[in-house]
Amino acid sequence: LENLQAAFNGESNAKAKYEAFAVKAEEEGYKSVAALFRAASQSEGIHAKKHAAVITGMGAEPKAEIAKPDVKSTKENLEAALAGETYEKETMYPEFIKQAEAEKNRAAVRTFRGAMLAEVEHAKLYKQALAELDAWKAAGKEFMVCQVCGYTEMSNPALVKCPVCSVPKEKFTVVK
Ligand code: FE2
Ligand code: FE2
Ligand code: FE2
């Protein structure tokens, strides 16, 4: 339960942070980076909701404290976002999954795992944006976000169903 609350708090803050980073990216003329931040923000909101449902299901109340996002340049914001995703996918969620498994809490395992797999993609996309930052000034990159689990990828016509939660592609929204 403590881990679920920590994850709920982290996802809620990530959602707010990426929204603010998207505004900054628009201001600096990085249109495709702004789209990526908007897509990731949507995804983190879905993670927060999913964690909240498990917390509620355990009879507790989800609690988050939203800090004012620390907005810097878009390049620095991407670096901060990449660091956050890397921590979540490599440290936080693997540890939380291990603990939830030890407690045989399958709902918690499922929600942590779903989030972790999306964070892997977020980290990849942030890395790519940093490597090609100038090219990401132009608009045109589109992202797909699974509205059920938050899985995110760059628009992919070959996608038929969500690789994480298996819902059909109709359950995805396109963010640009
Ligand atoms: Fe997330
Ligand atoms: Fe993420
Ligand atoms: Fe999904």
Side-chain angles (χ1 to χ4, degrees):
L1 182 59
E2 234 175 275
N3 293 345
L4 279 161
Q5 293 284 20
F8 174 70
N9 189 68
E11 297 288 353
S12 303
N13 276 281
K15 175 182 188 289
K17 194 161 65 177
Y18 294 164
E19 262 165 32
F21 288 177
V23 171
K24 182 70 179 180
E26 283 288 349
E27 276 172 23
E28 291 188 340
Y30 291 102
K31 295 199 180 65
S32 284
V33 177
L36 172 56
F37 278 133
R38 281 192 291 271
S41 174
Q42 212 182 82
S43 167
E44 314 305 7
I46 293 162
H47 295 159
K49 246 188 240 161
K50 296 212 79 161
H51 296 342
V54 180
I55 293 169
T56 307
M58 291 169 73
E61 194 195 320
K63 280 192 197 110
E65 230 174 276
I66 312 293
K68 191 175 175 294
D70 187 14
V71 181
K72 295 180 178 161
S73 71
T74 292
K75 183 172 183 286
E76 289 168 298
N77 293 340
L78 278 167
E79 286 163 352
L82 176 59
E85 300 287 353
T86 303
Y87 164 71
E88 288 184 354
K89 80 181 169 82
E90 284 174 11
T91 307
M92 186 181 91
Y93 280 125
E95 283 174 7
F96 286 3
I97 290 167
K98 217 183 274 172
Q99 181 63 30
E101 278 169 350
E103 294 179 26
K104 298 190 168 41
N105 186 330
R106 295 174 75 177
V109 171
R110 206 176 308 124
T111 195
F112 289 150
R113 211 180 106 76
M116 183 180 72
L117 295 172
E119 317 312 1
V120 170
E121 293 306 313
H122 294 168
K124 269 190 219 160
L125 290 165
Y126 288 143
K127 215 180 252 178
Q128 189 184 340
L130 273 167
E132 307 167 349
L133 196 51
D134 281 343
W136 285 56
K137 277 195 168 156
K141 292 205 172 25
E142 294 182 3
F143 304 89
M144 300 169 75
V145 181
C146 174
Q147 295 300 300
V148 174
C149 76
Y151 177 75
T152 311
E153 65 174 54
M154 204 177 281
S155 267
N156 168 14
L159 186 135
V160 252
K161 60 176 191 164
C162 178
V164 173
C165 76
S166 299
V167 297
K169 69 165 184 288
E170 287 71 31
K171 298 280 185 192
F172 279 73
T173 57
V174 174
V175 181
K176 47 184 158 185

